[in-house]
Structures are given as structure tokens and as C-alpha cells.
Amino acid sequence: MRTITLAAAIAAVVAVSGCSQSSSPSDKAAGPQASAPAPSGSAPAKTRENPLLTKSDLPFQAPPFDKIKDSDFAPAFEQGMKEQLTEVQKIADNPDKPTFDNTLVAMEKSGQTLNRVQMDFNALFSANSDDALSKVNEDMAPKLAAHSDAIYLNDKLFQRIQTLYNERDSLKLDPESERLLEWYYNDFVHHGAKLSDADKTKLKSFNEQASKLESQFVNKLLAATKAGALVVDDKSKLDGLSEGEIAAAAQAAKDRGLDGKWVLPLQNTTQQPALAELTNRDVRKQLFENSYTRTEKGDANDTRKTIAELAKVRAEKAKLLGYPNYAAWKLEDQMAKTPDAVLKFVRALVPPTMAKARHEAGELQSIIDKSGKHFKLQAWDWEFYAEKLRKAKYDLDQDQIKPYFEVDNVLKNGVFYAAHELYGLTFKERKDIPVYNPDVKVFEVFDKDGKPLGLFYADYFKRDNKQGGAWMDNLVGQSKLLGTKPVIYNVCNFTKPAPGQPALISWDDVTTMFHEFGHALHGFFASQQYPSLSGTNVARDFVEFPSQFNEHWASYPQVFNHYAKNYKTGEPMPKELAAKIHKAATFNQGYDLGELLSASLLDMSWHMIPADAPLKDVDQFEAQALKDNHTDLSYLPPRYRSSYFMHIWGNGYSAGYYAYLWTEMLDDDAYQWFENHGGMTRANGQRFRDMILSRGNTEDLGKMFRDFYGKDPEVGPMLKDRGLK
Ligand SMILES: [Zn+2]
């Protein structure tokens, strides 16, 4: 599961390099391994074994990143798929009457090699990629799609599941096993298990086409984003950037062989962080346009044809499965359940948000007018004048704040501290676990009783070969059945300091750390028998609930005062400055929420196209969708445009981008519960752990929330937090 933060409006680079392969640590792995001293004399060197094919013997089965090479992945994927198909066929062909054990437990135990390969690959491909891994990704995507079809569409296997499902009331299963059976049955039906043979063939073809288009989109977008960086040949044009940022731009140019110039790499969102600082309006416009048209240049990296075709294939697939559109199919197993429920929720937020945004635009326009300049506010002006307004209103200067947020200190005295106060966790750094890049730090996590809970990897700094955004994932998932404990990583894209300098991060970065660690807690507290129901394996519109919930503790006074200290002097942040940060929290929310709503509605529009509609002109369709949804303010473009909307075309958030907002409703409401019940206490933390964080997908997610709070989620606290009420 990939979880790319956006609630924290983080700055993030998208750029998977086409750069040198030597940047991959796996290339540094030694050649043939002979761990024991070779017997002297004539014995030929032992053939090197592929480290992905055996269970790791490192603590917690941590991946041996020091031994894995790029070239290990393709054969390991092939071997893993082959093994799982053999295991699954054996289950399907079992002459014994189907039982829960010989069918579902056996399924849960299948595919362990493939799973391991996939998890290790995901980590490296996302955070430390190179051309070789991109090639593996492109080659394997259609094969993996076919592999999953071969399981979902295996009729003998499905018949066994169906038999068990029909007999479920007489099987006397424990609640988690009962949930597993229902989950398998619904999941198989959802993926076409009940189709005729002819339709199954069609479905396979749609899935294969879709997976090819998806990986094509990802590769084009990564290349386009790298190519879209703004190259500046005159330092004066960078007026407004700090000395550190200018030095970083010079270094970025050097890394690309452009010595003597400056490069501002693009981040994956429409707005770019430098737009808040660049004083030269022409340069701002140029940077914005580089971002906005990155994938619409009519060259090899233009994604428009790819996404139009992908939307069409998805619509046809949904129709084949019996749904009016792709969104209806995709939402069936989500907490929201239907496109109507999503649209109702999102559209209700549009009027108050757009009204706030118009008001904000008016304030910015008056700053422009007062400065004696005569132009109309445009998208490339927004961040710049918003920053001026922020300073005027709250006297808040990012450079004043950052010395209080040194990254290691925020992690240990903020993120870890909050987890200790709420849940009793403790952490100890381990230097003996291999990592894929020297920037990565590993910690062992201990439970409240001092027992080991798992391993946590922190990979916080931006690299040219890392995808943009921030995310959490597992390297090893928790399962009592498999006897595994969680191994989890958090990846972010914070600016890396020059050697010897402290890593000072922004307030947005701080909340991003808490966010990603909230996902990690959901993974660490997993307490499931079955891997399929474990930890963060929940619906998209629930999975961002624990992460966004954890963001609240970043500004909770007891926690904030514990970490917000000057990196040089250790002095706590002055009270007035801290108060300004908290007061500024509702600043610019019309814009911030507006760009999210706009992107969510674009996502829904693309995925509600009926199958028989002709192929769309992407720009026309986008303009019309924004207009129809009343989110077409010229100075407020969507957070992602259709043609570079990674979440929905490449990352599995198709018809799912609304989930960030939906879960914001859940997390603000749950935080309200904490506020009503004494705030940060071990007892409250334990309750949240017992009723939400440790439950994985073991029961209906709406019921889980209701049991915790005693009522259905309400949108009031979210509107209050956003300053819209
Ligand atoms: Zn997240």
C-alpha cells in the first residue's frame, strides 16, 4: 500500500533518475558470495544464491539490502509467481472436501516468496530507483496483473471458496476467520470470479492493457517531471530564495552537468515551493508553467493519450463486471461504498471552501494593488502574496521557525515521544541492519512491556532517484499465522542539508513526519492472525485515518514543547512564535482545501465516464469537469492536473483521492473525542489502540468507528479545524 501524504501540503520532488546506475546501493553488493571460508584448493566458487528467494535470517526477517542486486528482481519475481501458482493449483485440486484450513488458511500461506520480492522491490523502486528497476517495473507490471487474474479467475478455487461461503453459518468460525471468508468471497467476485469463461478472457485483456498503460504513465511522468525542472542562467533571477536554497539549486545544476547554472527541480504538485519566494514575476510564471504543462508538451513524455485510453479501459472493465462506471466498481468495498456518497460529501464542501478562497483572493489582490503594481492575481502569484499576507497577519517567518525543528530532534523528542506518552512505546537505534542508502536510519521499536514490536526505517531526505511525496509501507507484514512481526519504513522528501549542517525542516515537514508515523503505528499495532487482514490492509478511505489522526499531536502543547527547541541553544520556542504557528493553522484554507476538492472531483469525473463514451480530449474534459463542479477559479488550479495525477493513474487511488478528505472527517472527529476525554493519556491511547489501531481489517470499518466514538463520523470538527465554520 502506498500512502502519499497531501494533507500536510508537503513539498516534494518527483524525479526518478535516468542517472547513473551506481547510485543504487545494490550495485555495490559483492559478486559471488561464499560466506563460509572456501575450502582451499580446487572447489569451484559456489554459485551466488539470489537473496530474495530465501527467508531473511536477519532480525525480524529484515531484507538483506547489502546483498540484493537489481538483477535479482526479475528472476525472483518469476520464481515467486511460479511458486504461488503451484501452491494455489494444489489447493484448487485438493480432492478433499473444502475446509477453512485446506482452502483459506492454505491461501494465506501461499505466495510468501512473491510477497517478499514485491515488498523489497516497492521500497527500492519508490525510494532508490534507477533505470534497471524501472525496466523491471515495466516488464513485471503486466505479468503481475496476469498472475493475479490467474488466481482470481481460477474457477476450481473459487468453487471451494463459494462452498465455504454458503456454509459459513455452520462453520463455527471465530470472528476474524469469518471476516476472512467473507473478504475472500467478496474479493473474488469483485475481481470477476463469477464471469463466464468468455468474459473472463475479456477481463484479462482489460487488466493487461490497464497495467501497461499505468506503468507507461508512471515512466512518462517521472521523465517529464525531471525534464520540466527550471534552468536559470542568471543568479539575480533567483532573488527571494535563501542562500541555502540558491546553493542547493547550484548543486542540482552541477548534478545534471550544468555547472555554473541553477536548477529548480519540479515537485509533484501543481504549486512549487519556490513560488512563495521568487520575487521576479516572470520567473514565477515560467516555473509555474513548467509544472502545469510538464506532461502536455506533445513529446514522448506527453501523458494525455495514455490517460484517455486508461480511463476508457477502466470504464469497459467496470461495464463487463456489471457496473455503470469504474468508480461504482472501485468504491464497492470502501467505507463510502458508492460514488453518490462520495460526491455528496465532496460537493457539500465546495461552496464554503470556494467562498473562502474568493475572500482570500480578494485579500491578495489588495496587497498587489497597494504595491502599485497593476495585474490580476494569477496562480503563479498566489503562494508569493499568500506568504506576504501570512507574514503581515501572523508575522510568521519560516526562517525564524526552522531552527526549532531539527529533524532528528523532531523524530526523537516529538514523534517518538508522542508514541511513548500515548502508547508506552520506546525506540532504540540499530546500526547493524543493512540499509539501501546511507541516509536511512533503523530503530527497533519496543512495546509498553519492553517486548520487541518491530523495526522502523526512517528515510527522510530528498534524492534525485526518489519519487515525490511521502509514504509508509511494510517490508515485512505482521501475521500470527506466519509468525512475522512488522518491519516498516517512512519515506519523505525533506531538503538535505549541506554536509555538517543541521537538517532544519518546516512546520509542514514536521506534520508530515507525524502523519507517516501514524501509518507506521497502524502497522506496528497490527495483531492479526491472517496477513490479508493485517494492519494497514484496509480500505483507502480508512487508511489515512490513523495517519491524519497522528498529525494532531504535533501541535499538542505537551508534545510541541518537548521537541520545539532551538538546535543551537536548546532554548524552547518563544511562546509568541509558537502561538503564531497555531494561529496561522487556518490561514489559506480556502486555497488549500480548494485544490484538494478540485483534484478529488477531477478524479471522480474521469472514473464516472460510461464505457460507451468516445475517447476524451483531456484538456477539454478537464476544463468542463472543473466548471461543472464549480471549482474552476483561474487562480486556484487543482493540486494535480489530470495529466500528472500520479495518485489516480499510477498509485491505486483511482476514484479514491477523496479518501484523504473523508478520513480527515474521521480523524478530526476522533481527535475531538480525545479532547472531550482528557486529551493525551495512556488510557485514551490504549483505547484507540485496542479499538482502531490494532484491528486491521477484522470488521466493518464504519462499525469500528462507531464502537470507538459511539456515533457515526460528523464533518463539523473538520470544518472547524479548517477555519470554515
Ligand atoms: Zn498518508
Side-chain angles (χ1 to χ4, degrees):
M1 178 216 52
R2 290 179 53 84
T3 44
I4 295 204
T5 321
L6 61 91
I10 51 158
V13 126
V14 163
V16 164
S17 68
C19 62
S20 67
Q21 302 232 345
S22 63
S23 66
S24 163
S26 47
D27 289 327
K28 290 181 199 131
Q33 311 268 329
S35 48
S40 59
S42 56
K46 196 179 150 201
T47 317
R48 175 181 175 275
E49 275 175 25
N50 188 331
L52 293 167
L53 293 179
T54 44
K55 218 183 248 184
S56 162
D57 52 16
L58 291 169
F60 301 91
Q61 300 183 26
F65 283 123
D66 53 341
K67 298 203 172 75
I68 298 170
K69 295 185 189 188
D70 285 356
S71 57
D72 291 329
F73 281 104
F77 268 117
E78 300 281 3
Q79 173 71 23
M81 287 189 273
K82 209 171 108 191
E83 269 179 38
Q84 191 176 26
L85 283 187
T86 308
E87 289 159 350
V88 167
Q89 200 52 49
K90 215 175 131 196
I91 299 168
D93 290 342
N94 190 341
D96 297 341
K97 183 177 166 310
T99 65
F100 186 81
D101 272 351
N102 74 18
T103 305
L104 294 189
V105 173
M107 282 296 290
E108 287 294 283
K109 287 180 177 166
S110 77
Q112 290 184 45
T113 300
L114 181 59
N115 196 35
R116 181 170 56 239
V117 178
Q118 182 88 67
M119 284 177 155
D120 292 357
F121 180 79
N122 287 350
L124 294 182
F125 178 62
S126 306
N128 212 52
S129 197
D130 58 33
D131 287 347
L133 293 180
S134 298
K135 176 87 172 64
V136 173
N137 185 52
E138 197 162 346
D139 291 348
M140 286 303 147
K143 291 186 184 181
L144 287 165
H147 175 76
S148 106
D149 278 344
I151 297 173
Y152 281 126
L153 304 179
N154 181 324
D155 195 50
K156 274 175 102 175
L157 176 63
F158 179 64
Q159 290 310 322
R160 295 179 77 85
I161 296 170
Q162 170 120 53
T163 303
L164 291 168
Y165 183 76
N166 293 342
E167 294 169 356
R168 64 191 181 283
D169 291 338
S170 59
L171 294 177
K172 300 201 172 67
L173 298 173
D174 63 85
E176 187 180 334
S177 299
E178 202 177 312
R179 174 84 172 172
L180 187 76
L181 173 52
E182 282 169 17
W183 181 83
Y184 261 94
Y185 176 78
N186 291 330
D187 196 42
F188 269 64
V189 173
H190 192 71
H191 286 93
K194 284 186 157 176
L195 293 180
S196 70
D197 285 348
D199 282 350
K200 279 182 183 170
T201 306
K202 276 192 208 160
L203 180 66
K204 283 181 197 169
S205 154
F206 287 145
N207 285 342
E208 195 192 336
Q209 286 173 50
S211 90
K212 275 188 188 157
L213 290 166
E214 281 161 17
S215 58
Q216 215 179 72
F217 170 83
V218 172
N219 288 340
K220 283 183 177 190
L221 175 58
L222 295 173
T225 303
K226 180 153 195 257
L230 181 68
V231 182
V232 175
D233 47 19
D234 176 357
K235 191 177 169 187
S236 70
K237 288 185 173 168
L238 298 180
D239 183 53
L241 299 188
S242 71
E243 278 310 313
E245 286 161 338
I246 293 174
Q251 184 60 44
K254 219 171 173 184
D255 292 347
R256 293 176 182 223
L258 296 170
D259 290 59
K261 297 192 180 188
W262 294 265
V263 164
L264 298 178
L266 287 187
Q267 323 251 329
N268 55 356
T269 48
T270 297
Q271 288 288 358
Q272 302 294 309
L275 289 171
E277 299 169 312
L278 290 164
T279 57
N280 184 322
R281 188 168 190 241
D282 292 334
V283 179
R284 284 206 305 272
K285 185 176 180 199
Q286 218 181 336
L287 177 59
F288 178 85
E289 281 178 351
N290 277 24
S291 170
Y292 199 60
T293 62
R294 68 183 84 176
T295 39
E296 307 206 352
K297 296 197 186 299
D299 59 6
N301 297 329
D302 194 312
T303 59
R304 285 174 290 184
K305 193 161 167 279
T306 310
I307 63 175
E309 285 174 13
L310 184 50
K312 176 106 181 128
V313 171
R314 286 175 175 174
E316 283 171 355
K317 169 177 162 171
K319 187 181 176 196
L320 184 71
L321 288 161
Y323 296 81
N325 55 55
Y326 180 83
W329 174 75
K330 192 70 201 276
L331 287 162
E332 189 184 57
D333 59 0
Q334 300 294 298
M335 192 173 166
K337 292 195 168 68
T338 64
D340 275 354
V342 172
L343 289 177
K344 194 173 157 228
F345 166 71
V346 178
R347 283 183 176 152
L349 293 168
V350 169
T353 306
M354 290 297 148
K356 182 104 194 287
R358 280 194 198 89
H359 174 74
E360 290 166 1
E363 287 184 302
L364 301 185
Q365 186 67 54
S366 72
I367 300 181
I368 296 170
D369 296 346
K370 272 183 205 148
S371 74
K373 296 197 171 120
H374 303 285
F375 58 80
K376 210 167 156 272
L377 175 77
Q378 296 292 348
W380 47 90
D381 302 315
W382 190 289
E383 298 285 343
F384 183 75
Y385 288 97
E387 191 54 33
K388 279 191 185 299
L389 183 61
R390 192 197 311 266
K391 277 181 194 159
K393 264 194 171 170
Y394 306 103
D395 188 23
L396 194 60
D397 181 345
Q398 292 296 328
D399 292 338
Q400 254 184 303
I401 298 170
K402 285 184 177 179
Y404 295 90
F405 299 144
E406 190 278 318
V407 73
D408 267 333
N409 176 51
V410 174
L411 178 65
K412 287 169 190 161
N413 292 313
V415 174
F416 287 172
Y417 171 74
H420 178 263
E421 295 302 296
L422 282 163
Y423 312 111
L425 302 189
T426 52
F427 303 82
K428 190 167 168 245
E429 186 165 0
R430 288 190 68 151
K431 307 251 187 196
D432 59 325
I433 307 288
V435 290
Y436 53 81
N437 185 288
D439 284 350
V440 183
K441 289 188 176 177
V442 184
F443 298 85
E444 185 166 350
V445 185
F446 299 92
D447 208 343
K448 56 186 176 181
D449 57 5
K451 288 193 179 135
L453 199 55
L455 286 181
F456 174 66
Y457 295 50
D459 179 5
Y460 287 137
F461 297 119
K462 188 184 294 183
R463 279 190 295 276
D464 227 10
N465 62 350
K466 198 190 255 193
Q467 284 184 25
W471 58 93
M472 163 275 186
D473 211 337
N474 280 68
L475 287 161
V476 179
Q478 178 277 341
S479 161
K480 290 179 195 163
L481 180 70
L482 304 181
T484 48
K485 285 178 187 285
V487 177
I488 288 173
Y489 55 92
N490 278 178
V491 180
C492 298
N493 269 284
F494 305 153
T495 304
K496 192 175 173 175
Q501 295 300 306
L504 306 180
I505 59 177
S506 69
W507 173 241
D508 281 346
D509 293 340
V510 171
T511 50
T512 298
M513 284 173 77
F514 278 84
H515 176 105
E516 297 309 330
F517 199 75
H519 286 303
L521 289 169
H522 199 190
F524 281 124
F525 290 146
S527 180
Q528 277 66 58
Q529 183 74 7
Y530 307 115
S532 291
L533 301 181
S534 176
T536 53
N537 288 322
V538 294
R540 287 264 173 245
D541 58 4
F542 193 81
V543 80
E544 297 298 328
F545 166 30
S547 52
Q548 297 188 152
F549 172 77
N550 205 51
E551 286 179 36
H552 288 277
W553 305 112
S555 51
Y556 192 77
Q558 181 191 336
V559 179
F560 187 87
N561 296 337
H562 196 256
Y563 71 85
K565 293 183 177 165
N566 188 290
Y567 77 97
K568 268 190 207 152
T569 63
E571 290 291 311
M573 183 181 281
K575 282 206 164 50
E576 317 76 68
L577 191 55
K580 281 179 201 167
I581 293 183
H582 303 316
K583 261 200 268 171
T586 55
F587 176 72
N588 208 42
Q589 287 302 311
Y591 189 95
D592 290 349
L593 184 56
E595 60 169 9
L596 295 179
L597 292 174
S598 188
S600 301
L601 289 162
L602 265 188
D603 170 28
M604 291 304 289
S605 302
W606 277 110
H607 292 112
M608 290 181 74
I609 296 175
D612 48 11
L615 216 59
K616 301 295 178 191
D617 175 286
V618 169
D619 293 334
Q620 263 177 29
F621 181 81
E622 179 174 284
Q624 191 63 44
L626 295 175
K627 190 158 180 271
D628 292 347
N629 285 303
H630 311 289
T631 56
D632 58 337
L633 299 176
S634 64
Y635 45 73
L636 204 175
R639 187 171 170 87
Y640 301 93
R641 230 185 152 183
S642 308
S643 64
Y644 52 83
F645 205 160
M646 176 74 140
H647 293 76
I648 67 166
W649 306 119
N651 274 345
Y653 273 76
S654 47
Y657 196 70
Y658 77 94
Y660 288 99
L661 297 171
W662 182 274
T663 48
E664 190 175 322
M665 166 175 69
L666 303 183
D667 81 74
D668 285 345
D669 212 13
Y671 185 71
Q672 181 79 57
W673 183 93
F674 269 74
E675 286 194 321
N676 296 345
H677 291 83
M680 175 174 255
T681 66
R682 279 282 295 110
N684 286 345
Q686 190 62 41
R687 180 184 158 94
F688 194 65
R689 174 176 176 170
D690 290 343
M691 303 186 84
I692 305 280
L693 294 178
S694 66
R695 303 299 307 277
N697 190 22
T698 54
E699 71 178 338
D700 181 83
L701 300 167
K703 179 173 184 303
M704 215 183 267
F705 188 93
R706 268 195 303 282
D707 287 350
F708 170 74
Y709 204 146
K711 67 169 185 61
D712 280 322
E714 288 167 34
V715 81
M718 172 181 174
L719 292 175
K720 197 180 109 218
D721 262 34
R722 289 270 186 181
L724 294 169
K725 204 175 140 185

